[in-house]
Amino acid sequence: MATLQTSRPARFAGRVVLAALLLSAAVCFAAPETPDEVLQHADQIRTTNNARFQALLQQLDAQAGRLSPLQRDWLAYFKGWQSGLQGDYPAAVTALTSVLARTTDPTLRARARISLLNDQFNAAQYEDAYANLGLLLDSLPQIGDRNAHFLSLTVAADLYNQAGQYDLAERFTEQALAYDRSDTSICYALYNQATTLYKTGKLRADDTQIRSGLDACERIGDPIYANAIRVPLAQAQMEHGDAAAALQSLMAHDAEVQATHSSALISLFRATLAKCYLLTGDLVHAGEYARSAVDYANKQVNSKASADAWQVLYQVAKQQRDDTAALGYLEKFAVADKGYLNDTSARALAYQMVRQQVQEKKAQIDALSQQNQVLQLKQTVGRKNMIAVQLGIALLLVILGSIVTYAYRTKRSQLKFQRLARRDGLTEIYNRQYFVEACEQELEYCRKSVRDVSVVAIDLDHFKQINDSYGHAAGDFALKRAVVACQ
């Protein structure tokens, strides 16, 4: 009995060792992944495990000579995408433009154009980005890949959000959700929904639909979109006076955000953390995270994250009674905030200009088509009687009337754009740019005519307290009432 008990474990251990050896041999002699399999795997993990994604790109680079032309184009696309993720937008735009010029594959063309217009947008090339968006949406019927089709809808929602076209953003988000209800789709689409709700002042920290989008992002293991949703939720918490809860929510994922290598997300995330620390009274960490946000925002100097970070540093220095540092930070905040506001106006104007250009091209095509029709009719009616000739003349007059109408509408649009460029969208008063131009003209006139000139400056005391206490909607109302009082 004792011998039997001793031999069984020994035999079992031997079998385990043998099985392990056989498994190791099978792994060693298993066929390596094909380039297509590596490319597919890289595509799946680029946001969830970016370090491994970069290692796969290096692996493919080492065997570039054995790749097919399409495989090399996919590798070039991934490299361009990675450059954009890390904030090197000029390199990303160059690489992705090159891919679009070479490839005829509809899926790769769609994916490259999506990444390209995102990088153009981040590089402040707004007209190019919105023009590319129009081309992308025009190509939707030819995009057979469901993922690329869905991403086209979500990137449209994102760019319309950035242009302040919230109704359009909402419409494309709904289209995306109707097109695909997978966890990935819900994650991406509800990120856009969270952005729309926050920018329109409707986002609640306990919004169940947005929370379901965050849950979907966590289920698919996508840290970029998950934390991009956490930021507006935390901002909503801060605006409702619960900065401590916002801080706790964000700090639990700070290391995760760092691992994404996304400079834009890290900058935004850390600027939001800096505001949380400031509101909870932790000036040391507020300054630390604000400086980190500025460092990561160096490729996007006109970003909201950069302006918020400089504002936090100013508040920290002010509370620490370091007047010299506070003044320096205030100047940098003023520059960054002005840049961000100008950037916001530039995005809206770029969208309107591209939209107008598309309408003009359509009108020109329609006019040319009508002219061709007239020429064909003239050739036909030239062999007929005077009634037919009179009909041709009447048609020509209609076309001339259309051209006159088109010219009138174009001029009206130009005047509208001029007004948009000179006036503030909220209060309808002249903006800083117009003020500077008008002052220069007035000063020059007074100098030549030897006249005095006076300037009255009005400041709204404690305006930030209105925003902090009652929300941006109340702040906007206060600005409008102040303008009415001045008028």
Side-chain angles (χ1 to χ4, degrees):
M1 188 70 176
T3 304
L4 182 62
Q5 290 175 344
T6 306
S7 62
R8 281 181 177 173
R11 291 173 185 173
F12 179 74
R15 289 171 183 171
V16 169
V17 171
L18 179 60
L21 290 172
L22 290 173
L23 180 60
S24 300
V27 171
C28 292
F29 291 101
E33 288 183 312
T34 66
D36 280 339
E37 290 171 338
V38 176
L39 286 167
Q40 184 178 8
H41 184 48
D43 193 25
Q44 292 169 346
I45 66 168
R46 57 196 174 123
T47 57
T48 57
N49 189 347
N50 191 255
R52 175 60 179 156
F53 169 76
Q54 294 184 67
L56 291 178
L57 296 192
Q58 293 176 355
Q59 175 185 334
L60 289 165
D61 235 355
Q63 49 182 320
R66 298 193 297 274
L67 300 180
S68 69
L70 180 58
Q71 289 168 343
R72 285 196 294 271
D73 284 342
W74 273 101
L75 177 58
Y77 159 67
F78 285 137
K79 287 181 178 179
W81 180 89
Q82 181 67 25
S83 295
L85 179 74
Q86 294 177 327
D88 191 353
Y89 303 120
V93 168
T94 300
L96 295 168
T97 302
S98 179
V99 171
L100 274 172
R102 288 195 309 269
T103 188
T104 58
D105 182 76
T107 300
L108 179 55
R109 286 186 64 81
R111 294 282 294 277
R113 197 177 296 280
I114 290 168
S115 297
L116 173 62
L117 62 87
N118 271 319
D119 292 326
Q120 287 173 329
F121 194 90
N122 288 327
Q125 299 172 12
Y126 300 126
E127 286 189 47
D128 292 337
Y130 284 109
N132 253 324
L133 177 61
L135 295 174
L136 178 67
L137 295 179
D138 288 342
S139 69
L140 272 180
Q142 287 78 49
I143 302 175
D145 182 77
R146 288 187 61 82
N147 184 44
H149 191 111
F150 171 81
L151 289 175
S152 301
L153 297 174
T154 57
V155 77
D158 188 21
L159 260 66
Y160 286 135
N161 263 329
Q162 299 294 342
Q165 301 295 317
Y166 302 122
D167 290 340
L168 275 174
E170 180 74 23
R171 193 175 79 192
F172 274 91
T173 297
E174 291 173 355
Q175 288 183 23
L177 287 171
Y179 183 79
D180 190 348
R181 294 293 299 180
S182 66
D183 278 344
T184 300
S185 303
I186 292 172
C187 167
Y188 291 2
L190 290 183
Y191 154 71
N192 284 319
Q193 181 73 9
T195 303
T196 303
L197 290 174
Y198 178 71
K199 289 190 173 184
T200 54
K202 299 176 184 177
L203 181 64
R204 303 189 316 275
D206 59 350
D207 190 305
T208 55
Q209 185 181 28
I210 302 303
R211 289 284 178 181
S212 71
L214 177 57
D215 293 341
C217 294
E218 291 179 336
R219 283 195 296 272
I220 64 173
D222 192 318
I224 290 181
Y225 276 90
N227 289 293
I229 292 176
R230 287 190 180 98
V231 168
L233 288 174
Q235 290 169 333
Q237 284 179 307
M238 282 190 287
E239 289 177 4
H240 287 84
D242 198 356
L247 176 63
Q248 183 179 4
S249 170
L250 295 182
M251 274 307 300
H253 301 278
D254 184 43
E256 178 181 275
V257 170
Q258 287 288 106
T260 66
H261 302 150
S262 171
S263 61
L265 175 62
I266 296 171
S267 175
L268 178 62
F269 199 86
R270 295 215 145 189
T272 309
L273 271 170
K275 290 168 67 178
C276 290
Y277 277 120
L278 179 66
L279 291 174
T280 55
D282 189 341
L283 301 184
V284 174
H285 281 97
E288 175 187 332
Y289 276 87
R291 282 186 287 272
S292 176
V294 169
D295 290 340
Y296 278 102
N298 63 347
K299 301 290 177 62
Q300 288 181 302
V301 293
N302 291 332
S303 67
K304 182 70 163 60
S306 181
D308 287 347
W310 287 121
Q311 186 179 33
V312 169
L313 288 170
Y314 159 68
Q315 292 290 344
V316 169
K318 182 180 177 182
Q319 293 186 37
Q320 292 175 340
R321 301 186 183 282
D322 187 348
D323 295 338
T324 301
L327 180 60
Y329 289 139
L330 181 60
E331 290 175 349
K332 290 180 178 180
F333 163 67
V335 172
D337 191 53
K338 177 186 175 183
Y340 169 70
L341 293 175
N342 289 342
D343 218 41
T344 302
S345 299
R347 293 197 297 267
L349 192 59
Y351 163 75
Q352 295 289 351
M353 290 179 67
V354 170
R355 181 169 176 266
Q356 180 65 21
Q357 289 167 6
V358 170
Q359 290 177 344
E360 288 178 0
K361 287 180 180 178
K362 185 177 183 302
Q364 290 171 359
I365 292 171
D366 290 343
L368 288 173
S369 177
Q370 289 178 351
Q371 288 177 4
N372 288 333
Q373 291 175 11
V374 170
L375 289 174
Q376 292 173 2
L377 284 172
K378 287 176 68 176
Q379 291 174 359
T380 301
V381 302
R383 299 184 297 268
K384 298 186 182 292
N385 55 30
M386 185 60 67
I387 298 176
V389 174
Q390 292 175 347
L391 177 61
I393 294 173
L395 286 171
L396 183 59
L397 290 174
V398 170
I399 292 172
L400 290 174
S402 300
I403 294 173
V404 170
T405 303
Y406 160 71
Y408 167 73
R409 290 179 177 175
T410 300
K411 183 64 178 178
R412 189 172 62 180
S413 298
Q414 291 173 347
L415 292 173
K416 178 182 177 183
F417 293 149
Q418 185 180 39
R419 181 176 177 273
L420 285 173
R422 289 183 171 184
R423 290 192 179 267
D424 175 66
L426 174 67
T427 61
E428 291 296 324
I429 61 174
Y430 289 116
N431 59 19
R432 182 192 300 269
Q433 178 182 350
Y434 179 83
F435 171 78
V436 171
E437 293 173 357
C439 280
E440 288 174 350
Q441 294 175 4
E442 191 66 25
L443 289 170
E444 182 64 15
Y445 170 77
C446 291
R447 185 184 67 79
K448 290 181 178 179
S449 58
V450 195
R451 296 187 179 188
D452 295 332
V453 63
S454 299
V455 177
V456 177
I458 301 176
D459 185 35
L460 299 182
D461 291 337
H462 312 299
F463 175 72
K464 184 177 182 300
Q465 293 180 7
I466 297 176
N467 278 332
D468 292 343
S469 301
Y470 305 107
H472 290 287
D476 290 349
F477 179 78
L479 285 176
K480 291 178 181 177
R481 297 305 302 169
V483 168
V484 171
C486 292
Q487 288 172 337

